[in-house]
Amino acid sequence: MEKKSKKKDKKDILNSKKGLRNKETNIISYCFMSIFAIIMVYLVIFNEFLAKDILNNPYNSLVDTQEDNVIRGDILASDGTVLATTQVDSEGNQTRVYPLGSVFSHVVGFNNNGRSGLELSENYYLLSKADNVLSQISDDIDGEMYEGDDVYTTLSVTLQKAAYEALGTNKGAVIAMDPTTGKILCMVSYPSYDPNDAVDDYSTWLTYDSDDSVLLNRATQGLYPPGSTFKILTLLAYMEQNSDYEDFTFNCSGSVSISGGTKINCASNTVHGYETLVTAFANSCNSAFATIGVSLTRAEYISLVSRFLFNQSLGVDFTYNESSFSLTTDSSISAVEETAIGQGQTMISPLHNLMIASSVANDGVMLKPYLVDKVVDSNGNTVISYDSEELGIMMSEKQAEYITTCMKQVCKTGTGSAFRNYGVSVAGKTGSAQYGDGSNYHSWFVGFAPADNPKIAICVILEGGFTGVSSAQYVARDVLDAYFGY
């Protein structure tokens, strides 16, 4: 009995040790399985959400190595016109070529001495391959170069050329979009450069004074006082705070002095006389709008401007600078007066101004502007396509309709004289934004057409000192002429 007991004890010990080994094996197996699962999840997250940003990062030195194995994809206009392509010689040397040169310089960008524009924002796809990973590995082993994906933009060659020619040699920018979709139709900035020369001239461009910089995309990065175009938001603020806004009247004597503030003059001290809200907007009456601004509840005014994305991200997928608005509930009467007419410390980009006008055109809904329509691989398959995306409801349809009425009046009888008797109805707002010591001004125009069924919204800024054109609205008219075939 004792011998059997010893055998049983020995067997139990062996079974116990075996179970312990099995348990340890299982733990190790589970650990490896967990690590594998984590790696797989990370790879999915990386490829889905992180890869594009990392590959587009200009500080990523591995990109240069990857470009040695890739024939960079093309960038094309909406009609298929090639805006950027890669030529490969008999020895395999690659040269990036921009067939339309400076016409598309800022929006397409360059890929020599760094990257900018779409060359930067779409770098991930331009260096991507249609085939699967195994095929890529096979090509790497064989030393074969593969073709990157092609990027089809929303840009119109016709409108881009019209905007470029209309702007001429004046510093400034033109940007237009379809307000019902968010598709950017053209984007021009001047001073410009020829991206074909970037390999030789980039270091020289860096030495230019900031005011003369050719590398600054004024359409998206330029910040300017909005001038009277800001009266669109002041008008909306008054409408939201006064249900009887249609009963507004004002008697303009050419200037206004409000207790605690400074004297505000209308342009050229023009006496507008009796005005309604519509005519005060059409005449761009500083006296009326300074008075309106002071009457507003500050906190609500500030909240409305914040709703329109000042001091925050615009949500677009390309390089831009945020607009700034500094009015507070403690600001002086003078600051409120100046802010209400688009002066003071407020700064805005043409892109942002376009988005505000487009939200009026689109029944109060602000859409995200975008430049890329789709990405197509070397086999002709669509890799990804883009569609409209709402950024928010900025105003009611009724409010948008009333502001449209005011903007139509600008072009019928007010300051928008370039569109009197125009072929289609245009809704717009002009602006003259003083800067520096106040003796110089930038010229603005924002608007859309046809006014009652908008297809195109446009924003133009002419920096002070412009020549060959009397104001921004005439540049806008040339672009609309091209759009409507006039």
Side-chain angles (χ1 to χ4, degrees):
M1 291 293 293
E2 184 178 349
K3 191 173 183 179
K4 286 184 179 180
S5 177
K6 286 182 178 180
K7 285 184 178 181
K8 183 178 180 182
D9 290 343
K10 187 175 182 181
K11 185 177 180 181
D12 290 342
I13 291 171
L14 291 173
N15 286 336
S16 177
K17 288 182 177 180
K18 184 178 179 181
L20 183 60
R21 285 196 298 272
N22 289 338
K23 185 177 181 180
E24 291 172 345
T25 301
N26 289 338
I27 291 174
I28 293 172
S29 298
Y30 290 142
C31 287
F32 276 106
M33 290 173 62
S34 298
I35 292 171
F36 180 77
I38 291 171
I39 292 173
M40 292 302 296
V41 170
Y42 175 76
L43 287 174
V44 171
I45 293 174
F46 179 85
N47 283 289
E48 191 69 24
F49 302 106
L50 304 177
K52 183 176 180 180
D53 289 338
I54 292 175
L55 191 57
N56 287 347
N57 192 315
Y59 298 105
N60 185 354
S61 60
L62 292 177
V63 173
D64 296 327
T65 302
Q66 182 170 341
E67 284 216 80
D68 294 337
N69 303 315
V70 183
I71 299 175
R72 192 173 182 82
D74 292 347
I75 299 176
L76 306 101
S78 59
D79 65 356
T81 300
V82 176
L83 307 179
T85 189
T86 298
Q87 295 178 351
V88 184
D89 65 20
S90 58
E91 296 180 358
N93 299 312
Q94 299 187 44
T95 303
R96 195 65 168 169
V97 177
Y98 304 89
L100 293 176
S102 57
V103 177
F104 283 84
S105 58
H106 290 92
V107 62
V108 170
F110 54 82
N111 189 53
N112 295 305
N113 285 318
R115 296 179 188 84
S116 67
L118 288 166
E119 290 279 35
L120 173 61
S121 64
E122 300 307 309
N123 192 51
Y124 173 79
Y125 291 112
L126 294 168
L127 293 179
S128 293
K129 186 186 177 187
D131 297 329
N132 58 40
V133 175
L134 293 178
S135 178
Q136 292 184 37
I137 294 173
S138 175
D139 283 350
D140 290 340
I141 293 173
D142 295 337
E144 295 289 332
M145 297 186 70
Y146 58 84
E147 297 180 20
D149 297 336
D150 294 334
V151 173
Y152 283 79
T153 72
T154 60
L155 298 165
S156 161
V157 174
T158 299
L159 293 188
Q160 187 79 8
K161 287 182 176 179
Y164 184 82
E165 292 172 3
L167 193 58
T169 58
N170 293 302
K171 293 180 183 178
V174 181
I175 182 169
M177 66 182 271
D178 182 338
T180 65
T181 64
K183 289 184 177 182
I184 294 178
L185 305 176
C186 68
M187 183 190 292
V188 173
S189 175
Y190 193 87
S192 187
Y193 61 88
D194 188 337
N196 293 298
D197 299 333
V199 65
D200 297 318
D201 297 343
Y202 181 72
S203 58
T204 302
W205 296 341
L206 291 176
T207 66
Y208 291 174
D209 182 87
S210 58
D211 290 338
D212 298 317
S213 174
V214 299
L215 297 176
L216 178 71
N217 184 349
R218 285 161 164 78
T220 64
Q221 296 173 290
L223 294 174
Y224 310 88
S228 291
T229 62
F230 195 77
K231 289 172 183 171
I232 294 174
L233 296 187
T234 302
L235 169 63
L236 178 59
Y238 183 78
M239 293 168 61
E240 290 191 348
Q241 295 186 32
N242 298 272
S243 59
D244 59 347
Y245 59 86
E246 293 184 85
D247 297 329
F248 173 90
T249 60
F250 186 81
N251 188 25
C252 172
S253 61
S255 65
V256 66
S257 297
I258 299 173
S259 178
T262 55
K263 183 179 180 181
I264 298 293
N265 297 313
C266 288
S268 302
N269 294 312
T270 302
V271 177
H272 297 115
Y274 176 83
E275 295 176 306
T276 64
L277 192 55
V278 174
T279 58
F281 186 87
N283 295 329
S284 202
C285 180
N286 287 339
S287 299
F289 273 82
T291 303
I292 286 173
V294 172
S295 75
L296 297 173
T297 300
R298 300 265 190 93
E300 293 180 18
Y301 190 22
I302 294 167
S303 176
L304 179 143
V305 174
S306 178
R307 185 169 83 224
F308 277 85
L309 306 182
F310 279 79
N311 302 322
Q312 57 190 294
S313 169
L314 295 181
V316 297
D317 297 325
F318 44 84
T319 303
Y320 69 95
N321 283 325
E322 292 183 4
S323 300
S324 61
F325 182 78
S326 60
L327 192 71
T328 69
T329 54
D330 296 324
S331 294
S332 66
I333 296 294
S334 296
V336 177
E337 290 176 297
E338 293 171 355
T339 298
I341 63 173
Q343 292 292 159
Q345 302 301 310
T346 306
M347 300 292 277
I348 191 172
S349 68
L351 167 67
H352 194 182
N353 223 348
L354 176 68
M355 293 167 67
I356 293 171
S358 294
S359 67
V360 177
N362 195 41
D363 296 328
V365 179
M366 182 180 284
L367 297 180
K368 173 183 175 180
Y370 64 102
L371 280 165
V372 178
D373 184 50
K374 62 181 178 180
V375 176
V376 176
D377 66 26
S378 57
N379 296 323
N381 302 311
T382 298
V383 176
I384 187 171
S385 59
Y386 298 89
D387 205 348
S388 301
E389 183 179 337
E390 288 188 12
L391 293 178
I393 299 174
M394 300 298 161
M395 67 193 82
S396 68
E397 288 188 34
K398 181 180 178 182
Q399 290 169 333
E401 182 180 358
Y402 186 83
I403 295 176
T404 297
T405 297
C406 293
M407 294 176 71
K408 286 167 64 177
Q409 201 64 33
V410 168
C411 298
K412 286 181 179 179
T413 64
T415 57
S417 57
F419 297 101
R420 303 267 171 80
N421 304 313
Y422 193 65
V424 298
S425 176
V426 178
K429 186 69 192 81
T430 60
S432 297
Q434 293 179 324
Y435 66 95
D437 61 5
S439 60
N440 297 310
Y441 69 92
H442 305 309
S443 178
W444 282 100
F445 180 81
V446 291
F448 49 88
D452 298 320
N453 184 27
K455 300 297 183 183
I456 180 174
I458 188 168
C459 179
V460 178
I461 178 75
L462 291 178
E463 294 185 10
F466 51 88
T467 60
V469 60
S470 59
S471 64
Q473 59 182 302
Y474 289 92
V475 174
R477 188 180 68 180
D478 285 351
V479 178
L480 293 185
D481 282 351
Y483 183 86
F484 292 110
Y486 295 147

